[in-house]
């Protein structure tokens, strides 16, 4: 608490705001009907990219634009498998819930499953793991790899750290041991170069 109070005092002294302050201010502004009406008129369509990383406060801001009479049209882009901002409050369930709402309310959902970035073994691994982690509650859409297989060797290796909880040192040691094993065994790691 002391650190938080000190941080807030330092921001006040400097006349500074951080990202959370901007989010809170936007939500307060959008509580006013006249502000919402003017902003909806100015921004009739909202395009939100990386929607899988939306936090509840950001969702409240988006909803203030979108919901209700005269609300802006909403277009979101995101991939539940790519959500990486849980540490700052992102909640993938917001996207999953919105998807269900749109599907049930006549909205359109387009699943872009074709993947040109990764090889089939990697896509199979992602589908296997993500399908189980995200499951039915998140409406998981499997990747459909479109790149040709160049080499039959495995592309993914799961290194499991023994014991309960997260142990960064044990994880680092395990990865270092595997890399040492690859290098000392002479495995070729780069494809397409002579």
């Amino acid at each position: 608490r002391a650190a938080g109070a000190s941080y807030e005092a330092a921001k006040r002294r400097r006349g500074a705001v951080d990202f959370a302050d901007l989010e809170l201010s936007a939500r307060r502004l959008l509580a006013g009907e006249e502000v919402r009406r003017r902003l909806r008129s100015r921004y009739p369509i909202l395009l939100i990219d990386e929607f899988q990383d939306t936090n509840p406060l950001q969702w409240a801001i988006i909803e203030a634009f979108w919901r209700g009479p005269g609300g802006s049209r909403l277009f979101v882009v995101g991939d539940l498998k790519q959500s990486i901002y849980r540490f700052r409050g992102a909640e993938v369930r917001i996207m999953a819930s919105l998807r269900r709402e749109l599907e049930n309310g006549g909205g359109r959902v387009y699943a872009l499953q074709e993947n040109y970035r990764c090889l089939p073994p990697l896509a199979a691994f992602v589908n296997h793991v993500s399908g189980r982690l995200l499951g039915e509650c998140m409406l998981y859409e499997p990747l459909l790899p479109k790149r040709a297989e160049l080499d039959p060797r495995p592309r993914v290796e799961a290194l499991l750290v023994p014991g309960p909880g997260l142990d960064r040192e044990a994880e680092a040691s395990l990865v270092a041991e595997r890399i040492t094993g690859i290098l000392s065994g002479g495995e070729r790691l780069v494809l397409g170069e002579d």
Side-chain angles (χ1 to χ4, degrees), residues 43 63 65 93 142 144 147 164 173 184 187:
Y43 304 104
E63 283 187 300
F65 269 94
R93 293 187 193 287
L144 302 174
R147 286 183 63 186
S173 292
S184 65
E187 292 185 44

Side-chain angles (χ1 to χ4, degrees), residues 106-173:
R108 289 187 219 144
V109 175
Y110 299 96
L112 304 178
Q113 295 172 266
E114 292 181 351
N115 181 296
Y116 295 89
R117 292 182 178 175
C118 63
L119 296 171
L122 180 57
F125 177 79
V126 169
N127 288 335
H128 178 78
V129 172
S130 296
R132 283 169 175 70
L133 291 176
L134 297 176
E136 287 293 319
C137 69
M138 295 295 175
L139 307 168
Y140 179 75
E141 298 280 353
L143 296 176
L144 302 174
K146 295 298 180 182
R147 286 183 63 186
E149 180 61 65
L150 301 175
D151 187 332
R153 292 182 296 168
R155 296 285 181 269
V156 177
E157 242 180 86
L159 301 176
L160 304 176
V161 178
L166 180 62
D167 183 345
R168 296 271 187 209
E169 286 187 34
E171 182 180 346
S173 292

Side-chain angles (χ1 to χ4, degrees), residues 35-48 62-76:
V35 172
R36 278 197 314 276
R37 186 190 64 70
R38 290 178 74 184
L39 287 173
R40 286 171 170 177
S41 172
R42 186 170 181 179
Y43 304 104
I45 300 172
L46 297 179
L47 166 61
I48 313 295
I62 294 165
E63 283 187 300
F65 269 94
W66 174 55
R67 295 213 189 267
S72 301
R73 295 182 69 185
L74 182 62
F75 183 95
V76 301

Side-chain angles (χ1 to χ4, degrees), residues 8-78:
E8 293 299 321
K11 285 192 302 183
R12 279 192 300 277
R13 278 192 310 276
R14 291 183 174 104
V17 294
D18 62 17
F19 191 70
D21 295 327
L22 295 173
E23 290 174 323
L24 289 167
S25 295
R27 186 180 67 184
R28 280 193 295 274
L29 279 171
L30 288 165
E33 183 59 43
E34 179 60 20
V35 172
R36 278 197 314 276
R37 186 190 64 70
R38 290 178 74 184
L39 287 173
R40 286 171 170 177
S41 172
R42 186 170 181 179
Y43 304 104
I45 300 172
L46 297 179
L47 166 61
I48 313 295
D49 195 10
E50 302 295 344
F51 190 73
Q52 74 276 359
D53 289 320
T54 301
N55 68 41
L57 179 55
Q58 293 164 344
W59 178 229
I61 293 165
I62 294 165
E63 283 187 300
F65 269 94
W66 174 55
R67 295 213 189 267
S72 301
R73 295 182 69 185
L74 182 62
F75 183 95
V76 301
V77 177

Side-chain angles (χ1 to χ4, degrees), residues 159 161 168-182:
L159 301 176
V161 178
R168 296 271 187 209
E169 286 187 34
E171 182 180 346
S173 292
L174 196 59
V175 171
E177 287 173 25
R178 179 62 186 124
I179 291 170
T180 300
I182 289 169

